[in-house]
């Protein structure tokens, strides 16, 4: 199976229709990246077995390094800076009418599929590049006033979904459009078609793409209605209308419906994601005067954390409770659930940690201090085997000392670190202190090469987006200057 069938490991990509000022910073509510495809009915059966009494539980998969983890150092050996793509040039002024789209801004998202690399800038400008010819194919902004907010690669039909807002309605509502990758490759953007036109996705409405279950969840704030669509053909499946719903969380095979808190408990319902059938309804006790930091669902496990309280891990089948002391588990800024390994990653204060569902810390990562204080799943990558995390990190002090800089100056460049999720060890890195790291020489007669204007240290400055193509064994990074760089061996 080729890599474009396993894009970016994103589990939840939720885009809200925020106002003009907010679309630059708010909107993405992405908590984790998608694992390889598994049968979503597993989770439904687990909950259903509890309701009808009995059934055997499959033992968790042991957290042991996979074979691919051992080949990582060799896989990333001799990585060099291969290409540089620029999202901005003079053409922008002729294609879009909004002046802020002309301004060079940072890359916030990179998606690669079928040798096409998509780079989305914070301004809302999105460019597509052909990895074979190394030329820019086109800009995906098909309307002069279109501001693209996010991208989603739908592997079911090999198409790219763009989620946009428009000046014509004061950037107040989301519009989705799907375009086959082959059409984009040929520059035929007008052959795409709009999605969910019947839905009112005005703020605080949203659209959420769930690649694990192959579903799309939309929310219309106008009538407090959630709708579920099939990601394969975009057919409408069912709707949920209830003004008391506060949040819906998606897991393999199920949805956790969280209702408005009442006194000292919160009502919860678990639904089958296939048809919306209720599987279990219950209430979770809460401390009356503590705000809820998060409620997350992972198969049969419910994770509940309130401010200044212990983490609670509840088994919804039998109400078994495990508590993790609040001094050991601090509220993270983001989660990544590793479904095949029965683990979850937490991101807190630039650090990464792996936990199991017995509340035990499994891995503390060495030499993996994230560059950005607030984790964004667009600048980290988890491999399909869930054994490796690739992140943009701060350079270790020892390496920093070897980089030429003025005394006392904080280096503006970081390193791309690849760490084993099971051991926490850094197995490889692309570092500015590596004397062997250079710009790959152009082969004689190779006219497909782009011109790399940045130096290696400049290419490692302020990386804001990262994507790893596992089949091509290439890392794509975007920076604050709107440039995209290709690293490979």
């Amino acid at each position: 199976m080729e890599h474009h069938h396993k894009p970016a490991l994103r589990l939840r990509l939720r885009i809200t229709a925020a106002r003009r000022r907010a679309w630059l910073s708010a909107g993405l509510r992405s908590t984790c990246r998608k694992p390889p495809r598994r049968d979503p009915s597993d989770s439904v059966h687990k909950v259903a077995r509890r309701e009808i009494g009995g059934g055997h539980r499959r033992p968790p998969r042991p957290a042991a390094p996979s074979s691919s983890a051992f080949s990582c150092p060799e896989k990333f050996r001799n990585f060099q800076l291969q290409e540089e793509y620029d999202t901005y040039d003079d053409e922008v002024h002729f294609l879009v009418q909004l002046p802020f789209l002309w301004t060079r801004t940072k890359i916030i998202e990179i998606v690669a599929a079928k040798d096409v690399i998509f780079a989305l800038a914070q301004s809302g400008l999105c460019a597509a590049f052909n990895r074979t010819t190394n030329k820019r194919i086109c800009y995906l902004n098909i309307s002069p006033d279109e501001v693209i907010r996010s991208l989603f690669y739908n592997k079911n039909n090999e198409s790219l979904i763009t989620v946009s807002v428009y000046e014509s309605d004061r950037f107040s509502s989301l519009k989705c459009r799907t375009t086959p990758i082959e059409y984009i490759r040929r520059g035929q953007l007008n052959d795409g078609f709009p999605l969910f036109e019947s839905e009112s996705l005005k703020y605080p409405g949203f659209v959420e793409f769930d690649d694990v279950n192959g579903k799309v969840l939309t929310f219309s704030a106008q009538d407090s209605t959630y709708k579920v669509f099939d990601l394969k053909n975009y057919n409408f499946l069912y709707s949920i209308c209830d003004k008391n719903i506060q949040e819906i969380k998606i897991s393999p095979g199920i949805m956790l419906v969280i209702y408005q808190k009442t006194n000292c408990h919160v009502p919860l319902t678990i639904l089958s994601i296939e048809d919306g059938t209720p599987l279990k309804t219950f209430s979770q006790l809460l401390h009356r005067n503590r705000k809820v930091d998060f409620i997350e669902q992972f198969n049969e496990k419910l994770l509940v954390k309130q401010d200044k309280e212990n983490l609670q891990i509840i088994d919804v089948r039998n109400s078994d409770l495990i508590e993790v002391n609040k001094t050991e588990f601090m509220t993270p800024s983001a989660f990544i659930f590793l479904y095949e390994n029965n683990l979850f990653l937490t991101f807190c204060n630039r650090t990464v940690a792996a936990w199991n569902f017995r509340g035990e810390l499994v891995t503390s990562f060495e030499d993996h201090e994230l560059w950005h204080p607030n984790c964004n799943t667009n600048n980290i990558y988890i491999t399909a085997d869930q054994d490796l995390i690739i992140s943009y990190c701060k350079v270790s002090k020892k390496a920093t000392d070897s980089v030429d800089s003025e005394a006392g100056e904080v280096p503006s460049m970081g390193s791309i670190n690849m760490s084993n999720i099971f051991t926490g060890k850094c197995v490889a890195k692309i570092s500015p202190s590596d004397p062997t790291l250079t710009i790959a020489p152009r082969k004689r007669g190779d006219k497909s090469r782009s011109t790399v204007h940045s130096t290696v240290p400049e290419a490692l400055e302020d990386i804001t987006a990262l994507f790893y193509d596992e089949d091509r064994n290439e890392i794509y990074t975007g920076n604050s200057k709107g440039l995209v760089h290709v690293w490979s061996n």
Side-chain angles (χ1 to χ4, degrees), residues 255-302:
M255 294 193 300
L256 176 69
V257 181
I258 305 172
Y259 294 90
Q260 297 289 341
K261 179 182 175 182
T262 59
N263 294 326
C264 57
H265 74 277
V266 57
L268 303 169
T269 298
I270 297 176
L271 307 178
S272 165
I273 199 167
E274 294 303 321
D275 55 14
T277 302
L279 300 176
K280 185 178 178 66
T281 298
F282 58 104
S283 291
Q284 176 61 36
L285 291 176
L286 297 174
H287 293 276
R288 185 187 300 272
N289 298 318
R290 302 289 191 194
K291 77 177 184 71
V292 177
D293 289 339
F294 62 80
I295 298 178
E296 295 286 344
Q297 178 81 20
F298 177 93
N299 291 342
E300 70 274 18
K301 302 295 186 181
L302 186 71

Side-chain angles (χ1 to χ4, degrees), residues 339-370:
Y339 291 95
E340 295 303 316
N341 297 319
N342 288 288
L343 300 173
F344 63 96
L345 300 180
T346 58
F347 298 81
C348 185
N349 299 327
R350 290 193 169 97
T351 63
V352 188
W355 300 77
N356 62 28
F357 288 89
R358 296 185 297 276
E360 300 165 341
L361 178 64
V362 175
T363 309
S364 294
F365 289 82
E366 300 175 4
D367 193 14
H368 204 101
E369 183 183 5
L370 301 178

Side-chain angles (χ1 to χ4, degrees), residues 455-474:
T455 64
V456 169
E458 287 173 341
L460 289 171
E461 281 188 20
D462 200 11
I463 289 176
T464 54
L466 182 150
F467 185 95
Y468 175 48
D469 188 316
E470 297 189 50
D471 279 340
R472 297 182 66 96
N473 193 34
E474 293 184 334

Side-chain angles (χ1 to χ4, degrees), residues 51-66:
E51 297 311 299
I52 63 177
H56 296 285
R57 180 185 179 189
R58 186 180 68 178
R61 179 178 173 179
S66 68

Side-chain angles (χ1 to χ4, degrees), residues 364-417:
S364 294
F365 289 82
E366 300 175 4
D367 193 14
H368 204 101
E369 183 183 5
L370 301 178
W371 180 273
H372 299 285
N374 296 318
C375 172
N376 184 322
T377 53
N378 288 328
N379 53 45
I380 63 171
Y381 189 97
I382 306 293
T383 55
D385 287 335
Q386 300 181 355
D387 59 355
L388 198 72
I389 178 173
I390 303 174
S391 312
Y392 182 54
C393 296
K394 285 182 170 291
V395 180
S396 62
K397 187 178 186 305
K398 181 179 179 181
T400 302
D401 294 339
S402 64
V403 178
D404 293 336
S405 61
E406 296 179 10
E409 181 181 350
V410 178
S412 60
M413 65 197 79
S415 62
I416 302 168
N417 292 22

Side-chain angles (χ1 to χ4, degrees), residues 210-264:
D210 173 35
D211 208 7
V212 174
N213 300 288
K215 299 293 185 291
V216 182
L217 176 68
T218 64
F219 173 62
S220 171
Q222 184 176 349
D223 54 6
S224 301
T225 299
Y226 296 84
K227 292 185 179 181
V228 177
F229 298 82
D230 193 324
L231 188 57
K232 296 182 180 65
N233 50 27
Y234 309 113
N235 288 341
F236 168 72
L237 298 178
Y238 58 91
S239 63
I240 305 169
C241 186
D242 192 328
K243 293 183 179 180
N244 293 320
I245 295 177
Q246 180 179 350
E247 177 75 278
I248 290 182
K249 300 291 184 72
I250 299 176
S251 289
I254 59 176
M255 294 193 300
L256 176 69
V257 181
I258 305 172
Y259 294 90
Q260 297 289 341
K261 179 182 175 182
T262 59
N263 294 326
C264 57

